[in-house]
Amino acid sequence: GDGKSETYIGSVAEDARLQPVAFFVERKASSEEKSYKTDGWVKDKKLDVTFKPASAALAKTTESVSLQPSTYFSSFMGMAVARHFKEKGPLAFVAVVEDDGRMNVEVKKGLAEVQKAEKKIGSDLCRNAVIHFGGQIQQWWITKAGKTCSVEYPENGMKMELSNEKQAKKALGG
């Protein structure tokens, strides 16, 4: 195959503290063996996750993870950090990575250090936060409302920026 895949992630958190409620992942890869659906539901402070491979040759699996009060879905990290902008000191957190690409539940501890630096990215004024996560140091740029505008990985020079479909197609030469 061409090695391409599409991943769709939907995550739900209760608003006040951004505590995880549920998530769903659908990965469509070039082969059935690498395609799957995942869903996770929180019940009694535990996240129960079911992995459903597209291939009939692979068995459905489940996993259960205990949640701590400072646990967020990785999809909500920008919002969690933005809510910490006015606080003193770093934000210690535990993040559940909804899709690690290998049908696993990844739970990693991290630390967010909100910086004073701000810059305009597109039409958004974004504030910098240094995120220590999964053994990496990342530079995040986040709006006051919690929208993640850019994530930079200084170790390998990678950078992700929020864009619309038109900008993405242009960047990909389409």
Side-chain angles (χ1 to χ4, degrees):
D2 57 12
K4 290 184 180 178
S5 67
E6 293 179 28
T7 303
Y8 303 91
I9 300 174
S11 301
V12 179
E14 63 89 359
D15 188 47
R17 294 187 341 266
L18 298 176
Q19 294 297 288
V21 173
F23 76 92
F24 173 81
V25 174
E26 181 175 9
R27 180 175 283 253
K28 295 178 180 180
S30 53
S31 71
E32 252 193 3
E33 289 76 31
K34 292 185 179 170
S35 298
Y36 55 86
K37 292 180 180 177
T38 305
D39 61 67
W41 295 89
V42 175
K43 187 177 176 186
D44 300 325
K45 298 183 182 175
K46 287 173 77 170
L47 175 64
D48 294 321
V49 183
T50 304
F51 303 98
K52 301 168 196 156
S55 170
L58 299 171
K60 179 173 101 171
T61 58
T62 58
E63 195 172 329
S64 191
V65 178
S66 293
L67 299 179
Q68 300 170 24
S70 61
T71 301
Y72 305 99
F73 285 137
S74 63
S75 300
F76 289 98
M77 281 313 305
M79 289 178 107
V81 173
R83 289 180 176 191
H84 195 75
F85 279 175
K86 291 184 172 99
E87 304 296 323
K88 298 260 189 261
L91 169 67
F93 63 87
V94 177
V96 174
V97 179
E98 291 95 322
D99 182 45
D100 74 349
R102 298 183 308 271
M103 286 200 305
N104 291 317
V105 175
E106 268 198 303
V107 180
K108 297 180 179 179
K109 289 183 179 183
L111 195 69
E113 300 172 349
V114 176
Q115 308 296 308
K116 298 238 183 285
E118 292 183 331
K119 74 176 175 181
K120 200 139 175 128
I121 298 177
S123 61
D124 294 308
L125 182 62
C126 303
R127 189 160 173 191
N128 180 241
V130 176
I131 311 284
H132 303 264
F133 184 65
Q136 290 186 326
I137 296 174
Q138 305 165 6
Q139 296 281 340
W140 286 43
W141 293 90
I142 304 164
T143 67
K144 199 169 43 178
K147 181 169 98 179
T148 303
C149 299
S150 175
V151 179
E152 301 166 13
Y153 301 84
E155 289 177 19
N156 59 18
M158 268 182 36
K159 181 178 184 177
M160 293 186 299
E161 278 194 357
L162 184 65
S163 68
N164 60 34
E165 185 177 0
K166 185 178 175 184
Q167 292 167 322
K169 283 182 176 177
K170 184 179 176 187
L172 295 171

